[in-house]
Amino acid sequence: MSLFCGRRLVLQAIISPLLRHRFNPITLCADHPSPRNYLQYFSRLILQRSCHSETQLEESKRKWTTEFVDSALEKIRSEDKTFYSVSLKEVMKKLQCLSSANISADQIANLMKESPHFLKGKNMEPILKVLQDQGFEGSGIYEILLSFGRITDEDPTELSALLVFLRSIYRTDRKFTRVVTTHPEVLSLIPAKINARVNTLQDLFKSDDVLELTIMSPHIIFEDMETIQEKFDYVFHTMGISQRQMMYSNMFNYSLLHIQTRHVFLERAGFYKKIKKEKGEINSNPLLQDILGLSDKVFAKKFGKMTEQDYKTFAKYFAQEVETYME
Amino acid sequence: MFPLYMRIISTGTVCTYARYSCVCLPCPCKQVDYIQRRGYKKKWAKNEGSKPHTVHALNHMEAFYKPVFKERWPSIRISLLTTSKYCALLNNYNSENEKVEKYLTDLGTYNVMEKAKLARAKYLEKENQQIVTEQSSLPLESLIDFPKRLPHSEVDENDDVNDDDEDVKEEIQPVVGKNTSLYDFIPTKRVYTDKELLQQHIARVATFDDSLLEVPVKVIQEQVPELPEDLKFFVYPKGDISKFPNPKMKHGNLLGYYMMDAASLLPVIALDLQENDSVLDLCAAPGGKTLAMLQTLKTENLTCIDESWSRLSRLKDISKWYIGETPSSMSVSKTDGKLLEDPFYNKVLVDVPCNTDRHVLISEDNNLFKPGRMEERLELPTEQMELLVAGIKSCKPGGTVVYSTCTLSPAQNDGVVHAAMDHLWKETDIDTVVIDISYLRPIFKDIFTFFPKTKYGQLVLPTLSSNFGPMYICKIKRIR
């Protein structure tokens, strides 16, 4: 039994009596308990408790006046003329949907500014319903729409199947939510492709580590396998670093050039040397997460008391050397 | 059917033999190409593979430079191993040098000397320098106390000591003390192998300890000289790694600019050439600094010498491409600089052969750290000292000598200067002082990084955003 199913049963057992008692006059589906309905009840409960007064709840809806939305839409249309295909009425409806999904007014305004593509999607309501069914609310949906506005173009049935599949892989809510919210582009893939990628990665890492890796660096699922192999080969063979360190370093979040630049910088500055275990050499190299994760300024200062300009100059020289070598 | 015996020949072909009953008949060799194993394979190798010479050089620097430069060493190390930067020295002999100047400026470069002049003016204003008159050796002599030399022992004609007189009886004092007999056995405390002795010698040659030398070297300050008016060189700003296009003859009949390390111009600037100076360029080849001296347009009498014909031919090529022909005011000759003694020159540039730190780290070709050149490398400081001494001897009293190297080695920089002073004090009557040229630091601080802890001269350190050098410059004045 998955954790999610177990939680559903707990919710049914504990909350439903409370909810039936408390929300009976309001809820429509008290007689037909389902996970979606319980989640809706919960969200309304939290919203009610977080609002200092009833009026505050109304204010968040009142913001979406026709004038306001019209002016925002005009601004979007001035930048992208394809938005003329979206009517004001449709936009109002979609914004109401977002409000009912507990996305705050400020977040909606930011979405319209940063990622307005969701307004063009034909399947907004069913997509939101699928996301809510899977336990996403408020800021979770906001994160997804901000990074992947085109999700509203996806097929709801396929999306639902994909989310169920991802849940079956990641099992815990924390991991599942993290993967989807940090890299919602994964929702554009099909389960077979994800499965194939996970199987391929198991040639390089242990099975448990593969899942952990996809949580730390979700775009490893949809990045080109050749690129992943190149990075792995460089870190494993050239740098002599084990998979364990790779796990903690988010190395697949960085480009191969970044990894090479940082490594060669340390090697030439005398801070990095490939260890020969058979000769009993002690590893005094810095950790991969420090090598890759530090900002340029901190990195240059830590390794050699150099300036950020020094590091950036070196990066340019190195890129030139790589280009010359490739030619 | 028939068992085949395969014999692998070193040339990379496989020869097959077919065995018929008990007779071995060689079949025509089937030439099968296979990839011959190259490089070192641990399980088959008899000896451990040899390291490249560049690695030996790097290990040497780690051992001897790192303790000197300490926290600066990582920055220096990475800069030496990364592509160096160049400047473009404007050729004043080109008829269209103004067009070339504009062309270089349009590339995004700037003239370092223009900025340096402004920096010089600011520096003088700040320091409020007192003018020290630079006259002949006589007034300066009176200001400086030179250490007294030990009297030379002279042969006296009236000395009777050497007379063979059998009547003179010498009193023989009895020897008192233990272990005085030659037949007594004194066991050795430690026996050094050849390798250890060699390593000790390398350590002695590579380090500079001024406590071992006897003469104190005087360092004096002089008025900050004017920068050469006509010398112009262009560089890209710090952090900009753009390269200069190769110079072509599209502007005028001669090449418009010469690409070189900007730090190599500092010895020429320190030399402070004036009109009517007679100049000696010891170890002139391949000719970058010689060309820079010619660009100052104050070389009416320039003598260039070098030991190597091939390097001198490069100097002649440079004069051909940039001047048109070897100018009449310049003489080039193949001479061993160590043999010069006569003081004919006002200004002497001694740009000695050295470790060439950049070259030995990057190139395997003719690397100084290859085993065949070990003796040459160990003798370098002695050769450098002899060249510097010859340069000082060739300088007239009141004249100046600039000593320069392109290495970070303290033993070949301050060490050689001190050793030369020591030699001159002990073996000759020549008195010299070191001129403080630390004024170069504030004037060129925007382009070069200087090491603050040199003893006599100035040392340009390579850094990533300004990858010039290394270059050591020391200015010496001959007093008498």
Side-chain angles (χ1 to χ4, degrees):
Chain A
M1 190 201 299
S2 73
L3 189 62
F4 181 67
C5 293
R7 196 171 70 175
R8 184 179 65 185
L9 288 173
V10 169
L11 277 173
Q12 281 176 342
I14 295 170
I15 296 169
S16 59
L18 285 172
L19 284 174
R20 271 194 216 125
H21 174 72
R22 194 172 176 135
F23 291 106
N24 207 15
I26 303 167
T27 57
L28 304 169
C29 305
D31 297 325
H32 300 284
S34 71
R36 181 183 167 232
N37 294 333
Y38 285 121
L39 285 170
Q40 275 186 346
Y41 302 153
F42 238 63
S43 60
R44 282 189 189 172
L45 180 66
I46 291 164
L47 196 61
Q48 281 187 0
R49 286 182 180 173
S50 63
C51 289
H52 295 294
S53 65
E54 289 282 337
T55 53
Q56 199 173 5
L57 185 58
E58 293 303 315
E59 271 175 11
S60 66
K61 293 179 185 171
R62 206 179 298 161
K63 198 168 180 179
W64 308 116
T65 57
T66 313
E67 291 79 24
F68 175 82
V69 173
D70 194 30
S71 68
L73 192 58
E74 278 307 312
K75 199 175 173 187
I76 294 167
R77 281 171 176 166
S78 66
E79 287 168 16
D80 185 355
K81 291 198 168 105
T82 55
F83 280 91
Y84 278 104
S85 62
V86 182
S87 67
L88 180 63
K89 194 178 170 186
E90 281 173 10
V91 171
M92 289 291 292
K93 197 176 169 189
K94 283 172 185 174
L95 293 182
Q96 294 296 339
C97 279
L98 290 177
S99 294
S100 61
N102 301 314
I103 299 176
S104 72
D106 291 335
Q107 286 175 329
I108 295 173
N110 198 39
L111 270 176
M112 288 183 71
K113 188 181 160 191
E114 300 292 335
S115 176
H117 191 90
F118 73 95
L119 294 170
K120 285 202 273 185
K122 304 292 176 196
N123 301 322
M124 177 133 171
E125 279 187 55
I127 291 291
L128 280 181
K129 188 178 164 199
V130 167
L131 289 174
Q132 284 173 319
D133 282 348
Q134 290 298 326
F136 291 98
E137 282 286 357
S139 45
I141 298 178
Y142 164 72
E143 294 290 337
I144 292 168
L145 287 172
L146 190 66
S147 308
F148 187 44
R150 292 175 200 277
I151 193 175
T152 52
D153 289 329
E154 298 290 319
D155 181 352
T157 317
E158 284 179 11
L159 180 65
S160 180
L162 178 62
L163 286 169
V164 167
F165 173 72
L166 287 173
R167 268 200 185 280
S168 65
I169 295 176
Y170 292 108
R171 295 180 193 156
T172 65
D173 278 350
R174 185 190 67 84
K175 292 179 181 179
F176 167 72
T177 314
R178 187 172 168 174
V179 167
V180 175
T181 51
T182 54
H183 279 80
E185 300 86 20
V186 73
L187 298 176
S188 62
L189 300 174
I190 54 174
K193 195 172 177 187
I194 297 172
N195 229 7
R197 177 52 57 89
V198 167
N199 285 334
T200 315
L201 288 172
Q202 282 170 351
D203 292 339
L204 304 175
F205 297 91
K206 291 181 194 171
S207 307
D208 293 339
D209 291 347
V210 168
L211 282 180
E212 200 59 43
L213 209 54
T214 54
I215 294 164
M216 308 285 275
S217 311
H219 75 277
I220 199 178
I221 298 170
F222 47 85
E223 198 176 28
D224 179 28
M225 192 62 206
E226 204 180 306
T227 311
I228 294 171
Q229 188 69 49
E230 274 178 355
K231 289 180 194 175
F232 179 87
D233 287 343
Y234 186 83
V235 173
F236 188 78
H237 296 289
T238 310
M239 294 175 72
I241 287 178
S242 65
Q243 286 93 328
R244 187 99 311 256
Q245 271 203 59
M246 291 186 207
M247 293 297 300
Y248 294 112
S249 66
N250 299 332
M251 62 170 259
F252 294 103
N253 290 346
Y254 305 100
S255 66
L256 179 61
L257 183 63
H258 174 81
I259 298 170
Q260 287 174 323
T261 306
R262 289 281 173 105
H263 168 238
V264 173
F265 182 95
L266 290 177
E267 213 175 32
R268 290 186 186 177
F271 290 104
Y272 197 96
K273 188 185 166 192
K274 188 177 175 186
I275 299 302
K276 292 172 189 169
K277 284 183 187 164
E278 60 272 13
K279 287 193 177 177
E281 289 180 2
I282 299 168
N283 187 358
S284 57
N285 294 329
L287 294 172
L288 187 62
Q289 65 201 54
D290 287 340
I291 295 172
L292 302 180
L294 295 174
S295 67
D296 290 347
K297 189 174 174 182
V298 172
F299 179 80
K301 190 166 181 194
K302 182 172 179 175
F303 299 109
K305 292 189 182 174
M306 289 179 252
T307 62
E308 191 181 357
Q309 189 182 40
D310 284 338
Y311 176 78
K312 286 191 185 316
T313 311
F314 174 79
K316 289 182 209 170
Y317 274 126
F318 184 70
Q320 215 175 60
E321 284 176 32
V322 168
E323 213 177 290
T324 314
Y325 177 74
M326 298 293 268
E327 283 168 14
Chain B
M1 248 161 60
F2 301 99
L4 289 174
Y5 291 87
M6 309 246 299
R7 189 163 67 88
I8 299 171
I9 305 170
S10 60
T11 53
T13 54
V14 175
C15 211
T16 57
Y17 289 79
R19 193 178 181 203
Y20 297 91
S21 65
C22 56
V23 175
C24 281
L25 294 171
C27 293
C29 270
K30 242 190 217 178
Q31 191 138 5
V32 175
D33 288 328
Y34 71 99
I35 298 169
Q36 188 172 4
R37 190 174 298 283
R38 293 194 186 279
Y40 167 71
K41 179 74 178 180
K42 188 180 174 183
K43 71 176 188 182
W44 289 334
K46 286 181 187 173
N47 304 311
E48 203 175 293
S50 59
K51 290 181 194 167
H53 309 312
T54 49
V55 172
H56 283 299
L58 189 60
N59 291 340
H60 174 91
M61 291 184 196
E62 283 280 333
F64 296 107
Y65 296 0
K66 191 174 176 181
V68 174
F69 297 104
K70 295 179 185 159
E71 69 272 5
R72 291 181 183 84
W73 174 240
S75 171
I76 296 169
R77 189 188 200 273
I78 192 174
S79 305
L80 289 173
L81 292 168
T82 306
T83 316
S84 60
K85 211 169 170 178
Y86 288 94
C87 76
L89 173 67
L90 188 71
N91 182 13
N92 291 321
Y93 293 86
N94 187 329
S95 53
E96 297 189 28
N97 60 346
E98 284 174 6
K99 276 189 185 172
V100 177
E101 196 172 330
K102 186 176 179 310
Y103 169 72
L104 289 172
T105 317
D106 289 343
L107 288 175
T109 64
Y110 66 94
N111 182 1
V112 175
M113 294 303 280
E114 266 178 27
K115 275 200 172 178
K117 281 166 192 166
L118 294 170
R120 178 184 175 275
K122 263 189 191 171
Y123 170 72
L124 288 178
E125 209 180 288
K126 193 179 167 187
E127 292 293 310
N128 197 16
Q129 285 252 321
Q130 290 181 353
I131 298 170
V132 175
T133 51
E134 188 187 322
Q135 298 292 336
S136 63
S137 60
L138 209 54
L140 209 51
E141 259 184 346
S142 61
L143 294 169
I144 299 168
D145 286 326
F146 288 97
K148 286 183 183 174
R149 285 178 166 78
L150 296 171
H152 296 293
S153 57
E154 292 173 0
V155 175
D156 191 350
E157 288 176 359
N158 299 324
D159 195 348
D160 292 337
V161 170
N162 293 326
D163 286 346
D164 289 334
D165 191 350
E166 289 174 10
D167 296 355
V168 174
K169 291 177 183 174
E170 292 179 7
E171 285 186 20
I172 299 169
Q173 300 292 334
V175 177
V176 178
K178 294 179 184 176
N179 292 332
T180 53
S181 167
L182 286 173
Y183 296 101
D184 285 349
F185 173 68
I186 303 172
T188 52
K189 286 183 186 173
R190 184 164 174 193
V191 178
Y192 291 103
T193 60
D194 282 344
K195 194 174 175 184
E196 282 172 329
L197 286 171
L198 179 63
Q199 282 170 353
Q200 286 175 3
H201 185 36
I202 290 170
R204 261 196 309 275
V205 161
T207 49
F208 168 48
D209 184 2
D210 60 348
S211 60
L212 298 174
L213 300 167
E214 293 166 8
V215 65
V217 176
K218 301 278 179 191
V219 180
I220 63 166
Q221 280 201 331
E222 276 192 343
Q223 183 189 9
V224 175
E226 291 283 343
L227 296 174
E229 190 69 42
D230 297 303
L231 185 69
K232 293 177 187 172
F233 63 102
F234 294 80
V235 297
Y236 285 98
K238 257 189 180 180
D240 188 337
I241 65 163
S242 307
K243 289 183 181 172
F244 285 100
N246 285 330
K248 290 175 187 167
M249 285 189 182
K250 58 181 182 181
H251 300 293
N253 52 345
L254 297 168
L255 291 175
Y257 53 88
Y258 179 74
M259 294 202 291
M260 61 190 295
D261 186 344
S264 297
L265 293 164
L266 288 178
V268 175
I269 293 168
L271 204 51
D272 187 28
L273 294 175
Q274 302 296 331
E275 301 215 6
N276 303 319
D277 272 340
S278 56
V279 185
L280 170 66
D281 189 355
L282 226 60
C283 315
K289 293 187 184 66
T290 310
L291 183 65
M293 286 198 280
L294 288 166
Q295 298 304 328
T296 60
L297 307 178
K298 288 178 182 171
T299 48
E300 285 84 22
N301 183 359
L302 174 62
T303 307
C304 302
I305 64 171
D306 200 277
E307 243 185 333
S308 158
W309 267 129
S310 59
R311 288 162 64 84
L312 276 174
S313 69
R314 283 167 65 185
L315 192 154
K316 287 182 179 170
D317 284 342
I318 282 175
S319 0
K320 186 175 111 185
W321 290 111
Y322 288 91
I323 317 290
E325 54 183 9
T326 309
S328 54
S329 57
M330 178 169 124
S331 66
V332 179
S333 63
K334 179 183 174 299
T335 314
D336 184 356
K338 298 190 278 291
L339 302 174
L340 299 180
E341 279 186 349
D342 299 318
F344 289 148
Y345 306 97
N346 299 107
K347 303 275 166 75
V348 180
L349 176 63
V350 185
D351 183 35
V352 297
C354 58
N355 276 356
T356 55
D357 291 345
R358 270 199 196 273
H359 176 79
V360 295
L361 286 179
I362 292 170
S363 172
E364 285 287 315
D365 289 339
N366 204 26
N367 194 303
L368 190 65
F369 282 81
K370 69 182 187 186
R373 294 185 77 183
M374 175 167 303
E375 210 178 298
E376 184 188 339
R377 181 162 57 88
L378 293 175
E379 290 300 309
L380 257 180
T382 310
E383 188 185 344
Q384 289 164 341
M385 192 268 289
E386 288 172 0
L387 282 166
L388 179 55
V389 165
I392 293 171
K393 284 179 179 174
S394 311
C395 182
K396 292 177 186 170
T400 50
V401 176
V402 168
Y403 171 77
S404 67
T405 67
C406 52
T407 177
L408 296 162
S409 169
Q412 294 183 21
N413 296 337
D414 287 333
V416 164
V417 170
H418 200 119
M421 303 296 207
D422 190 68
H423 175 88
L424 288 169
W425 177 65
K426 283 177 181 168
E427 305 295 329
T428 68
D429 290 327
I430 295 173
D431 288 327
T432 52
V433 290
V434 170
I435 306 291
D436 179 12
I437 51 170
S438 58
Y439 60 82
L440 290 174
R441 282 197 236 165
I443 291 174
F444 291 102
K445 67 173 168 41
D446 289 336
I447 172 169
F448 301 122
T449 305
F450 291 91
F451 183 52
K453 293 181 184 174
T454 44
K455 204 168 162 65
Y456 306 123
Q458 298 301 317
L459 178 62
V460 173
L461 297 178
T463 57
L464 281 169
S465 43
S466 187
N467 206 354
F468 301 113
M471 182 64 56
Y472 175 82
I473 314 112
C474 181
K475 190 170 179 178
I476 299 165
K477 190 181 185 80
R478 179 171 173 175
I479 304 299
R480 60 170 176 225

